[in-house]
Every structure is written in structure tokens, then in C-alpha cells.
Amino acid sequence: MENGAAKPVIVAIDGPSGTGKSSTSKAVAAQLGLSYLDTGAQYRAITWWMVNNGIGTADPSAIAAAAAKPEILSGTDPTEPTITVDGVDVSGPIREQDVTSKVSAVSAVPEVRARITELQRAIAASAVTGIVVEGRDIGTTVLPDADLKIFLTASPEARAARRSGELKGADLHTTREALIKRDAADSSRKTSPLAKADDAVEVDTTDLTLQQVVECVVTLVEEKRAGK
């Protein structure tokens, strides 16, 4: 076992939905004794708050004006990540279709991104052993100085199959179309678009099992820690 003097390692994992980001990030963090942060959950949380407080998600100025109001707290234990908004556990509600369909619009508002990015940087800076942070703009915008940047990809078909497995009763074709639409929205937004950092390692997960992806990422982190 390494002694406590090991330098904290910050790992950024980006990529579109359905590439296995969350499952991979949680497993890698748990295996290596690191904290874990799902940044997408934070954007979902602020979207949930907007919906519940009657803020029109098609009104960027109203969203911007309210962006600082909700108190969002993320628990960073990879075996049991939590998220609360104003003290309410929202880990279930933020995964519902109503939030999923509106999160891209809310996330595109610069004031929302500034607020959440600040939150993410503070969490990463306070992680004692290090942290695995997953999202869409971690390596490019949130933590450009991360020790290791990984960009997960997969074919639209593979991603849709995974997502429809997660979303009960979801139709595969509809899920695939929704993923492509969301990719387009997230990749083309002006503020912090979904993009692969120049120094990121790309891992195509289309034909890999989750365990294979986890092993690949763990190896990359261990090599980085060893200074290779």
C-alpha cells in the first residue's frame, strides 16, 4: 500500500452520453481510492431546480438570473455518490425524462456554466487523495491542468443500446436520435462545448466490456502516478 504522501491525482474523463463514463469513472475511483464527481448530475440538479421553481428553461435570461440561487452539494464517495439541492436528495428525480430533455438548454447558459464550473473546481481542489471527474468539458475547460485526460467514445448504436437499457421502456431508435441531437447541441454551444482536449487519450468503448474499459483507465492512471 502506498503511503499517504502520494501526490493527489486529478483525472478528467469526458465524452458523450452512453459511452460508459459514469460506470467507468466510479469503478476507477473506487479501485484507486479516489474521490468521484459526476458533473452531469450537477447540471441536471440545477435544471431540476429551475423546472421545480417555474423558471422557463427556454428563457436564458431567467435562467441566468436564478443560476446562483440553488445550493448544490455533491457527495464524492464513488461507491455511493450523492447530490442534494437545498438539502433535498435529487439523485432520483434528476434522471427523469423531464430533466433530461431540458438539461442541454439550461447547461448552455454561460452563467450556469460559470457557477457549476466554480463548484467543480473547488471540489477537485479539496480532494485529498485525488479525484476522477467526469463530464463533457472537464479536460478542456473545467480542469485543463488535470494530470490525466481521457475521452471516451462509442458508436451511436452502442451508446443507444446502453442508454435504452438504463432508461426503462425506451425505444432504441428514439434513444439514438435523442443522443445524436443532444451531441449536436452540446458540441455546438458557444460556452464550453463538448470537445476532446488536445492532450486527451481517446478510448473507443464500442467493442469493450465495462471491465476492459476500467482496466484500461486504471492502467493509464497508474502509469501517470508512476511518472511514466
Side-chain angles (χ1 to χ4, degrees):
M1 205 52 198
E2 290 179 32
N3 62 30
K7 179 180 169 285
V9 62
I10 294 181
V11 182
I13 299 186
D14 290 306
S17 300
T19 52
K21 278 200 314 285
S22 293
S23 305
T24 300
S25 300
K26 279 188 275 201
V28 168
Q31 200 168 317
L32 295 173
L34 305 175
S35 296
Y36 159 76
L37 179 61
D38 174 0
T39 64
Q42 295 176 314
Y43 284 106
R44 286 173 173 273
I46 201 166
T47 302
W48 175 87
W49 186 91
M50 297 285 173
V51 171
N52 271 270
N53 284 274
I55 309 291
T57 52
D59 183 350
S61 58
I63 293 169
K69 292 182 180 176
E71 184 191 8
I72 299 167
L73 283 177
S74 296
T76 57
D77 178 348
T79 61
E80 200 179 345
T82 57
I83 186 153
T84 63
V85 179
D86 296 338
V88 178
D89 176 2
V90 294
S91 49
I94 63 170
R95 302 292 169 188
E96 290 171 5
Q97 186 55 38
D98 191 34
V99 170
T100 300
S101 64
K102 295 180 171 114
V103 68
S104 280
V106 174
S107 301
V109 176
E111 288 81 358
V112 168
R113 298 207 77 79
R115 163 90 202 281
I116 301 293
T117 296
E118 188 183 349
L119 193 59
Q120 291 161 2
R121 286 176 177 158
I123 292 169
S126 64
V128 180
T129 56
I131 191 166
V132 178
V133 183
E134 57 128 323
R136 283 168 154 70
D137 66 338
I138 311 308
T140 50
T141 302
V142 180
L143 300 168
D145 297 327
D147 299 299
L148 176 65
K149 301 174 188 178
I150 291 166
F151 194 86
L152 298 185
T153 62
S155 71
E157 291 71 24
R159 293 166 50 214
R162 289 169 191 164
R163 291 303 276 183
S164 58
E166 293 168 17
L167 305 166
K168 293 177 180 62
D171 169 71
L172 196 60
H173 176 73
T174 309
T175 304
R176 181 178 180 275
E177 293 306 305
L179 281 177
I180 291 170
K181 189 176 170 188
R182 186 163 172 207
D183 286 352
D186 290 350
S187 301
S188 61
R189 65 169 178 243
K190 289 188 177 68
T191 309
S192 305
L194 163 66
K196 176 182 171 236
D198 293 339
D199 53 348
V201 179
E202 186 167 320
V203 179
D204 188 332
T205 69
T206 304
D207 299 317
L208 300 178
T209 64
L210 172 61
Q211 193 50 46
Q212 287 171 322
V213 180
V214 170
E215 283 170 10
C216 172
V217 175
V218 164
T219 301
L220 289 168
V221 177
E222 286 177 333
E223 285 176 355
K224 181 59 70 173
R225 272 180 156 174
K228 289 182 183 172

